[in-house]
Amino acid sequence: MITFRWFGERDPIPLAYIRQIPAVRGIVGALFDIPVGEAWTLERVAALREQVEEHGMTLEVIESVPVHEDIKLGRATRDRFIDTYCESIRNIGRAGIRVLCYNFMPVFYWTRTDLERRLLDGSTALAYDDGALRKIDLSRGTSDLPGWATAYSASALEALLSAYREIGEEKLWENFAYFLQRVVPVAAAARVKLALHPDDPPWSIFGLPRIITSKAALERVIGIADDPANGVTFCAGSLAADAANDLAEIIRSIGGKGRIHFAHCRNIKRTGVRSFEETAHPSDQGDVDMRAVLAALHEIGFDGPIRSDHGRMIWGEVGQPGYGLHDRALGAMYLYGLWEGLTG
């Protein structure tokens, strides 16, 4: 199913507009006002589902329930936060939502250094450059970060960065395994598929450890808890930022074991070492062979939700960078056409 991300009432794109995209019948949503670490109630999740259904679509994926930093750091308080995470999973299952996309990135979620990179066709897109990232001054907290959603004061951010300097990649893996071993049985009982999103970009930023970056890492993830509920979100754009990642091979390896539960299909163009810009979705616009990606998904029998992920800002549209209506709608139709051609 082709899906579309919706940011709730704060989204300038109403559900009524999304419903008019011929390919889209599923919504990817979340409850953005609930503080990290608090449980999502059944009433709130069910109300979101009903709101989507009133517009003739289904709530297919929750993206996402954030993982508290104390869990990632392995602090003494983590069990309390894991318990509330488990309660959120149960309520998502009770509401009939079957996929939960989440991530385990320390401090920062997806990161870009430019929210309005001007492309050759005149559109603007999200972009990342490692050199530009190194010039960002974190001494004033997150105020200098382009588009960063979570606000940290200078002191709070420095405390988090300092804490992560003490743990390194292997300790982060240990903390992730501790989390997975406790939430996967709950997800399995609730009939919820956990879909871990790869780190974006797939390398360390600001000296923080990042571990979900490659085929080997994703294989390690599904090996920690050998249960179909423990799966991944295959994100073409995130993984393709590292040219060493063979997307079709990753799909066959992880998806061949039935562990790809959600697919983000966007294109990027690598512009240098650890530098890229997002592009239109068709294969010839970037470095992702989108037909090969969808062909590999079809080959392994994938039947889960697919979304066009980010898009450019085109035709004068003004809105949340990466999440305008027009280019994501074009991307959704492109993916739908490819999928129809592959599946007959």
Side-chain angles (χ1 to χ4, degrees):
M1 173 184 285
I2 304 297
T3 62
F4 205 86
R5 192 170 192 184
W6 182 60
F7 288 92
E9 296 301 332
R10 74 178 192 183
D11 198 325
I13 302 167
L15 286 169
Y17 286 11
I18 298 172
R19 179 62 179 82
Q20 295 171 18
I21 306 169
V24 174
R25 291 297 175 267
I27 289 294
V28 177
L31 300 174
F32 296 96
D33 61 320
I34 297 179
V36 178
E38 290 190 10
W40 291 23
T41 66
L42 173 58
E43 291 74 19
R44 289 292 310 278
V45 180
L48 177 63
R49 184 202 68 211
E50 291 164 5
Q51 188 176 13
V52 171
E53 290 175 350
E54 286 171 0
H55 289 82
M57 297 177 288
T58 55
L59 182 58
E60 291 292 320
V61 182
I62 294 294
E63 185 180 354
S64 60
V65 179
V67 178
H68 198 280
E69 298 298 331
D70 285 12
I71 297 173
K72 300 172 195 173
L73 287 164
R75 288 174 168 164
T77 53
R78 65 179 170 181
D79 285 342
R80 174 167 60 88
F81 288 117
I82 290 174
D83 286 345
T84 59
Y85 204 94
C86 288
E87 185 60 19
S88 296
I89 292 172
R90 293 187 189 98
N91 287 330
I92 288 167
R94 289 169 183 143
I97 316 306
R98 296 294 160 230
V99 179
L100 167 57
C101 175
Y102 72 105
N103 73 82
F104 213 76
M105 297 180 232
V107 187
F108 305 105
Y109 184 26
W110 63 265
T111 301
R112 301 292 184 267
T113 54
D114 190 344
L115 301 181
E116 297 180 328
R117 170 72 60 84
R118 182 72 60 180
L119 304 183
L120 291 176
D121 61 6
S123 64
T124 61
L126 304 175
Y128 176 92
D129 179 77
D130 219 41
L133 188 85
R134 289 193 294 269
K135 295 176 183 177
I136 293 176
D137 180 9
L138 294 181
S139 66
R140 295 192 291 271
T142 54
S143 60
D144 287 346
L145 280 170
W148 183 242
T150 303
Y152 289 107
S153 67
S155 59
L157 182 58
E158 177 50 37
L160 271 177
L161 296 175
S162 178
Y164 276 107
R165 291 187 197 106
E166 300 298 318
I167 69 169
E169 289 187 3
E170 276 309 309
K171 183 61 176 174
L172 186 60
W173 272 111
E174 288 179 25
N175 296 341
F176 182 47
Y178 185 94
F179 171 74
L180 272 187
Q181 287 159 0
R182 283 151 183 80
V183 300
V184 168
V186 173
R191 297 176 57 227
V192 172
K193 297 176 180 178
L194 299 177
L196 176 69
H197 193 289
D199 296 348
D200 185 7
W203 50 72
S204 173
I205 60 170
F206 299 121
L208 293 163
R210 285 198 159 193
I211 56 175
I212 314 301
T213 60
S214 64
K215 171 174 168 279
L218 294 170
E219 288 175 336
R220 183 171 177 177
V221 168
I222 64 174
I224 290 170
D226 189 14
D227 189 292
N230 177 31
V232 307
T233 295
F234 172 80
C235 182
S238 299
L239 292 165
D242 183 347
N245 285 328
D246 184 323
L247 301 186
E249 182 182 351
I250 290 172
I251 291 170
R252 294 186 181 102
S253 172
I254 308 301
K257 300 177 180 71
R259 299 298 189 90
I260 295 178
H261 298 326
F262 186 25
H264 289 182
C265 296
R266 61 177 165 85
N267 208 340
I268 60 107
K269 183 175 182 62
R270 294 184 289 273
T271 53
V273 177
R274 295 192 170 184
S275 177
F276 62 88
E277 59 190 24
E278 300 190 1
T279 70
H281 293 79
S283 301
D284 64 358
Q285 299 297 298
D287 291 311
V288 175
D289 184 340
M290 201 63 71
R291 188 187 187 284
V293 164
L294 266 64
L297 287 169
H298 176 54
E299 178 185 321
I300 57 98
F302 179 77
D303 62 356
I306 298 171
R307 79 173 177 92
S308 50
D309 207 8
H310 306 164
R312 303 165 298 147
M313 301 304 284
I314 63 173
W315 302 335
E317 185 176 17
V318 176
Q320 183 176 341
Y323 287 101
L325 171 64
H326 305 321
D327 199 43
R328 287 191 297 152
L330 289 175
M333 292 305 302
Y334 171 71
L335 295 172
Y336 181 76
L338 279 180
W339 194 253
E340 186 178 53
L342 288 164
T343 59

